[in-house]
Amino acid sequence: MNKREIKALISLLDDEDHEVTQHVEGKILSLGGNVIPFLETEWEESFNPNLQRKIEELIHELQLSIMNERLQSWKNGGGLDLMEGMWILSTYHYPELSLDNLKTIVEQLYYDIWIQFQEEMNPIDQIKRINSIFFGTMNFAANTKSFHSPSNSMINVVLENRRGNPITLCVIYLLIARKLGLPVYGVNLPNLFVLTYKSHNTQFYINVFNRGIIFSKTDIDHYIAQLNIKPKDIFYNPCTNLEIIQRVLRNLILSYEKTGEQEKIKEIENILKSTLESFGDDSV
């Protein structure tokens, strides 16, 4: 369709006949993401609140579809790039967000640590050096004041504000550690996401939400016992990038439950469902 035809189609969104508007909405959605700039232009030029609302809803639905397609493609490709997965989730709130810009920010963080990093250090001292910079000079910290805010799950916001929830802080820390060549991975503990340093002869754990404090398997044993739940392998071993993304989605659902945003809850639940190859543990 050309620009004039699309403009005429959009004008019919305000038709009094409900069947007509339904047909028009379906036709617009079938055009895909390429129609979004035309919708945005019509929104800006319109003085009709009802038409603007319908345009907003269509733009959101199209952007949600794009996000879903990207996430499915990322998952089907093996979920190899964790930053890409986190970027896709952030486009739920920030559809124009640039993946390249996010990667540039993390690259700078890595470089700032790398120039003060010594590979000959033992693993514990390496993590302590990262901690001293990440929580010191860089000023990353737990967002305890607004713990349940959805923005804590948006990596772009956490990179800008230097405040986040356990999993997003862990992801940023992990991305830097991996660039430094360290065998650092995510671990799905109940109610808390942590990291593990795991090589062929060394393993310990890192609580990034608590300024990178280092702890042991025995500490996890005690933690699980206090929660009165049965130990599982996933509480001790590395998880996949896909499992990290799924946990971020679960955190988002909890955030929207706190704010009572039912429509967003349904949308994120559908996105999460599409990523689950099998339904397993859903602790958050």
Side-chain angles (χ1 to χ4, degrees), residues 2-3 24-25 38 43 65 132 140 148 152-153 162 165 175 185 189 206 240 253:
N2 60 39
K3 185 176 180 180
V24 170
E25 287 171 5
F38 296 101
W43 185 94
S65 176
S132 68
F140 280 96
H148 292 291
N152 286 329
S153 295
R162 307 291 171 100
N165 60 19
L175 290 170
Y185 310 91
L189 274 179
I206 309 157
T240 66
I253 291 169

Side-chain angles (χ1 to χ4, degrees), residues 16 42 91 95 109 111 130 140 149 156 179 220 259 278-279:
E16 293 181 0
E42 290 303 309
T91 61
L109 293 174
Y111 180 75
I130 294 175
F140 280 96
S149 171
N156 57 310
K179 283 180 174 292
I220 294 182
T259 57
S278 60
F279 289 92

Side-chain angles (χ1 to χ4, degrees), residues 165-217:
N165 60 19
I167 193 164
T168 312
L169 288 173
C170 276
V171 166
I172 296 169
Y173 192 109
L174 182 155
L175 290 170
I176 295 169
R178 291 271 185 86
K179 283 180 174 292
L180 290 166
L182 303 183
V184 174
Y185 310 91
V187 177
N188 259 320
L189 274 179
N191 304 321
L192 179 65
F193 193 86
V194 298
L195 299 178
T196 182
Y197 182 109
K198 186 175 184 180
S199 63
H200 64 281
N201 58 1
T202 303
Q203 184 173 18
F204 56 86
Y205 299 87
I206 309 157
N207 185 347
V208 179
F209 199 63
N210 191 11
R211 299 185 66 81
I213 189 170
I214 295 169
F215 60 104
S216 68
K217 179 181 179 298

